[in-house]
Amino acid sequence: MRYIRGGGAVKPAFEKRNENDLIIALAGNPNVGKCTVFNGLTGLRQHTGNWPGKTVSSAQGYFRGEKRGYILVDIPGTYSLTPHSAEEEVARDFLCSDIPDAVVCVCDATNLRRNLPLVLQIKKITGRIVLCINLLDEAKKKGIDINLRALSRELGVPVVGCVARSGKGLRLISGAIESVMQKKENKAPPQETDPSSLFAEADRIISRCVSGSSSAYTVKEKTLDRILTGKLFGFPIMLLGLMLIFWLTIEGANIPSDFLASAFASFEAPIYKFLASLRLPQAVCEAAVFGIWRVLSKVIAVMLPPMAVFFPLFTLLEDLGYLPRIAFNLDRAFKCCGACGKQGLTMCMGFGCNAVGATGCRIIDSPRERLIAMLTNSFVPCNGQFPAIISLSAIFFVGAGVGFLSSVASAAALTLAVLFGILSTFAASKLLSMTLLRGIPSSFTLELPPYRAPQVGRVIIRSILDRTLFVLGRAVSVAAPAGLIIWLLSNITVGELSLLSHFSEFLDPFARLMGLDGTILAAFILGFPANEIVLPLVIMAYTSNGALGALSGASDLFSILSANGWTSATAICFIIFSLMHWPCSTTLMTIKKETQSIKWTAAAFLLPTVFGILTCAAVNFILRLIMH
Amino acid sequence: MNGSFRLSDIKPGQKARIISLESPLSERLSELGFIDGAVVECALRSPLGDPTAFLAGGALIALRREDICDISVEVVQ
């Protein structure tokens, strides 16, 4: 018998639009499509926020019924009201508090037995609960038939059946909420619960309301899982899948990137003319166009198209249910490094954007393992670093060509670099868990949800919208100021040289030890706001341009680089440092927000940097030995 | 009774009935459907050997060896 204590201090801000708006808690087990119900009800009228004092996120949204509006609060998925993590504590506290006026509990129609215990527990706290049985279509496919009316009778609460993915049934929820508001509210304190009796009661209810096959896990799914997690095909499929996603990202982003680049470029002359017509001094016009606008356009043109491909693909995999299988396959390796399998997922998110990966670490329950995942996230390259890695490996190693074979070779080279990044992630995680973040691996339970057909249309639209907003926001807040600073550094001269050149000269001796040169290191440092601009900065400095220019082709790039002393060794060291250096400013700020600690943010800055410097120096040393 | 088996001894394809839950995770596990008397099926094993996924209460739950080696079970045909 366990005792649930409740009523903690949870008071996030809820803004009612009207006096009689209701605050509705959206509860349910993980993996029941709660998110889909939330999105289906609130559409775009939602935002994500944090619970104060905790790095637990909650989405809040608004929807209207016939009579009034409702503020829907999506609380973390939980199996029971006994909290085993910060997320579940927040869920429990919120439900037990007097803030929500009613609760909508989402259940998976294909597995009512597992979902009902939570419903029964919540029922003991408040009578104002509406049951939303989701995934009715999946249940039908499995031959499971639920008598919603009988279920409602047994439980004494309104039951709404729905297929949230297509929006079916959602409009009935507001009516159900209104009907429970008629009940007198009697918030009872949370009581002791015993899982066996809850399951027994659930079984009793199900025997009266559910008929048909009770197997949620079909033979087809089992066979698929046997292959995807099998000794023979498990890892090869993951590897090939990774390569495929990279290939799609590269191919899908190529043309849009070029298009955006030339579109932005075509605006340069008109903007200059306009500013000049305002009688602004020439320096200001130049700084605005060649500094701010150039860097802004570079960041958007390089970052937006790949993210618009990568993240929808990633979300599709997530909807499909494949991602937990990846965590399942990788868990042991991560456990040996003192971390947990879910870090594999945050690492994958980091391929798209390290900042998104850092936020994604919330899926890891143990705070220690969450920190490990956050601090090592920047060891893998993000979408912004792909172009540099690809073009350098193409011109120095693979051979630049056109056509299908060369794009496959690009994806392969990128995958190789990523594998190196993954290995260093393991090494760094192991190091952390032996030193700064010592501790035993936490307990680990991972649910492998049934495979579900992803809702392609909605996923893609929502994902692209999110990514576009993110990139644009970042471009304005980070890239624009950076562009100004870079322009100033390159165009203000002291003596014969620009400030940038002085800086590069200063860094040169140290950089040479790492197999780089002062210009490259300066470019990395100036690329702190955005990794996309590092290689363009190098080119700019080499061509004494004073402003970022367009890369006019692979052979041009090769001649510029070799004219400045680049060898394949330099390219290797560049790629290594690209994989292992400080996180970009957006990622660092995200880590600061997530950890609420300067100490760990500093660690996030230093860890990959130190690794990078040492590795580059070592590789440089070895290559020098070999080549002489 | 087939002698003292542990949940960690069960191989993919086998079914077992839980006799006693003495794992450090027993609270969490019982919420997930691993309760005394429940029959669970060992469905998958990770290619690296651990964790193992069990079908319990209609859901597929992956658990690590060290978390289940204290759970005694009897094999069910």
Side-chain angles (χ1 to χ4, degrees):
Chain A
M1 300 283 248
R2 284 120 0 105
Y3 178 66
I4 314 171
R5 221 167 285 121
V10 173
K11 283 177 177 52
F14 297 113
E15 303 144 13
K16 293 193 179 183
R17 296 192 193 182
N18 301 304
E19 262 303 311
N20 61 349
D21 282 350
L22 294 179
I23 298 180
I24 311 290
L26 188 65
N29 284 10
N31 291 315
V32 296
K34 187 158 60 71
C35 206
T36 321
V37 171
F38 183 84
N39 287 333
L41 284 172
T42 61
L44 291 173
R45 287 160 295 174
Q46 55 165 281
H47 66 274
T48 316
N50 270 6
W51 296 86
K54 305 202 187 219
T55 52
V56 175
S57 69
S58 83
Q60 260 186 61
Y62 190 80
F63 71 103
R64 294 201 62 86
E66 242 176 80
K67 289 188 181 170
R68 48 183 152 187
Y70 308 91
I71 298 176
L72 195 59
V73 183
D74 183 18
I75 61 181
T78 172
Y79 294 108
S80 91
L81 291 182
T82 314
H84 295 277
S85 66
E87 274 79 17
E88 298 189 335
E89 207 176 316
V90 162
R92 194 270 319 271
D93 287 347
F94 184 68
L95 285 173
C96 297
S97 75
D98 50 10
I99 302 177
D101 297 301
V103 179
V104 171
C105 192
V106 182
C107 294
D108 179 355
T110 65
N111 195 357
L112 263 190
R113 182 175 187 266
R114 235 273 304 284
N115 286 240
L116 279 183
L118 177 65
V119 176
L120 296 170
Q121 282 189 323
I122 298 179
K123 248 191 62 176
K124 292 189 181 161
I125 300 179
T126 167
R128 292 186 177 163
I129 171 173
V130 169
L131 212 59
C132 172
I133 310 286
N134 191 21
L135 299 163
L136 281 178
D137 54 340
E138 295 285 327
K140 195 161 169 198
K141 274 189 224 168
K142 296 191 164 155
I144 301 174
D145 182 43
I146 306 179
N147 186 336
L148 296 174
R149 222 168 280 178
L151 188 60
S152 180
R153 243 189 346 251
E154 285 289 330
L155 288 171
V157 301
V159 172
V160 173
C162 71
V163 180
R165 192 164 57 211
S166 62
K168 228 185 338 181
L170 291 180
R171 57 183 174 74
L172 298 171
I173 290 183
S174 56
I177 295 177
E178 290 302 323
S179 70
V180 295
M181 291 307 291
Q182 311 290 334
K183 289 189 191 170
K184 203 167 121 154
E185 175 61 302
N186 227 342
K187 272 257 166 86
Q191 300 169 17
E192 305 174 8
T193 58
D194 167 34
S196 299
S197 57
L198 287 176
F199 275 115
E201 168 128 10
D203 282 332
R204 193 187 57 84
I205 296 175
I206 286 174
S207 64
R208 300 208 183 157
C209 312
V210 181
S211 62
S213 139
S214 57
S215 160
Y217 194 49
T218 62
V219 173
K220 234 198 281 181
E221 287 174 315
K222 194 186 275 189
T223 321
L224 187 58
D225 265 334
R226 283 266 159 86
I227 299 175
L228 293 177
T229 64
K231 279 209 165 113
L232 193 57
F233 286 120
F235 276 95
I237 290 182
M238 284 192 329
L239 195 62
L240 282 174
L242 193 65
M243 244 185 82
L244 178 65
I245 290 191
F246 285 154
W247 184 81
L248 285 170
T249 306
I250 296 170
E251 285 301 296
N254 248 340
I255 297 183
S257 275
D258 289 342
F259 170 74
L260 279 175
S262 46
F264 277 115
S266 65
F267 273 94
E268 283 182 11
I271 294 181
Y272 194 94
K273 261 201 210 141
F274 171 71
L275 291 176
S277 73
L278 295 176
R279 307 287 180 94
L280 292 170
Q282 185 188 1
V284 171
C285 299
E286 287 191 357
V289 174
F290 300 124
I292 299 179
W293 183 253
R294 278 265 169 98
V295 169
L296 201 111
S297 38
K298 188 110 232 157
V299 162
I300 296 179
V302 169
M303 206 48 176
L304 183 52
M307 281 183 106
V309 174
F310 180 88
F311 277 108
L313 284 177
F314 191 79
T315 316
L316 282 176
L317 275 184
E318 187 177 17
D319 268 18
L320 196 64
Y322 179 58
L323 295 187
R325 271 80 183 169
I326 296 181
F328 180 70
N329 289 348
L330 291 175
D331 181 58
R332 187 169 192 186
F334 278 105
K335 192 181 68 174
C336 291
C337 301
C340 98
K342 290 187 183 171
Q343 188 172 333
L345 298 183
T346 61
M347 200 174 65
C348 286
M349 290 185 224
F351 294 145
C353 172
N354 286 156
V356 175
T359 324
C361 291
R362 290 173 183 181
I363 60 175
I364 301 177
D365 298 320
S366 146
R368 183 188 71 92
E369 292 171 355
R370 188 180 297 181
L371 265 176
I372 293 182
M374 267 196 270
L375 295 185
T376 57
N377 200 273
S378 51
F379 278 83
V380 292
C382 71
N383 275 177
Q385 296 167 295
F386 288 1
I389 297 177
I390 291 170
S391 33
L392 287 180
S393 24
I395 65 180
F396 280 97
F397 306 111
V398 178
V402 282
F404 181 68
L405 216 59
S406 108
S407 66
V408 171
S410 294
L414 186 60
T415 310
L416 212 69
V418 163
L419 283 176
F420 179 75
I422 294 178
L423 281 174
S424 26
T425 305
F426 282 121
S429 303
K430 179 97 194 172
L431 181 69
L432 280 176
S433 62
M434 291 196 304
T435 55
L436 286 179
L437 285 168
R438 225 172 303 193
I440 48 169
S442 70
S443 60
F444 178 80
T445 62
L446 178 70
E447 186 187 344
L448 301 179
Y451 289 107
R452 299 190 185 128
Q455 27 165 193
V456 178
R458 246 186 202 167
V459 160
I460 294 190
I461 294 176
R462 157 150 263 120
S463 193
I464 294 185
L465 269 173
D466 284 343
R467 289 307 117 209
T468 309
L469 284 175
F470 176 80
V471 171
L472 291 180
R474 179 170 157 265
V476 166
S477 59
V478 158
L484 182 59
I485 294 176
I486 291 169
W487 189 87
L488 288 172
L489 286 176
S490 337
N491 288 282
I492 297 180
T493 51
V494 173
E496 289 279 312
L497 300 169
S498 68
L499 287 177
L500 181 57
S501 307
H502 281 296
F503 189 43
S504 312
E505 272 189 15
F506 171 69
L507 291 172
D508 202 69
F510 182 68
R512 297 268 164 196
L513 286 173
M514 286 166 51
L516 307 171
D517 68 23
T519 315
I520 302 174
L521 196 51
F524 270 109
I525 294 177
L526 287 177
F528 172 65
N531 280 306
E532 302 88 300
I533 60 179
V534 172
L535 193 57
L537 275 175
V538 171
I539 311 289
M540 172 188 93
Y542 283 159
T543 53
S544 308
N545 219 337
L548 292 187
L551 276 180
S552 22
S555 51
D556 274 2
L557 181 57
F558 186 71
S559 47
I560 294 176
L561 292 178
S562 24
N564 281 273
W566 275 57
T567 62
S568 356
T570 324
I572 291 180
C573 291
F574 183 98
I575 293 177
I576 292 178
F577 199 61
S578 194
L579 293 171
M580 298 200 271
H581 72 294
W582 49 81
C584 74
S585 63
T586 314
T587 307
L588 216 55
M589 281 198 313
T590 309
I591 293 181
K592 167 93 189 339
K593 200 170 75 144
E594 292 288 310
T595 60
Q596 312 259 332
S597 148
I598 305 243
K599 164 178 153 197
W600 290 118
T601 312
F605 183 90
L606 289 171
L607 182 68
T609 308
V610 171
F611 255 77
I613 295 177
L614 293 177
T615 311
C616 283
V619 168
N620 180 39
F621 183 67
I622 295 174
L623 287 176
R624 286 279 154 85
L625 280 182
I626 297 181
M627 292 191 180
H628 281 266
Chain B
M1 289 277 272
N2 321 47
S4 55
F5 276 99
R6 302 286 156 165
L7 193 54
S8 45
D9 299 324
I10 305 297
K11 299 191 182 39
Q14 286 186 310
K15 289 193 184 150
R17 178 176 298 114
I18 298 186
I19 301 176
S20 77
L21 259 185
E22 268 154 29
S23 155
L25 265 191
S26 50
E27 264 191 30
R28 162 65 94 195
L29 287 177
S30 47
E31 285 166 13
L32 292 171
F34 290 79
I35 51 182
D36 290 354
V39 174
V40 303
E41 180 185 339
C42 178
L44 306 165
R45 185 153 282 159
S46 164
L48 293 178
D50 197 46
T52 314
F54 293 93
L55 253 176
L60 202 53
I61 311 285
L63 299 167
R64 287 177 178 161
R65 185 182 198 85
E66 60 264 25
D67 292 326
I68 57 176
C69 58
D70 289 325
I71 303 177
S72 31
V73 301
E74 64 172 351
V75 179
V76 167
Q77 300 312 331

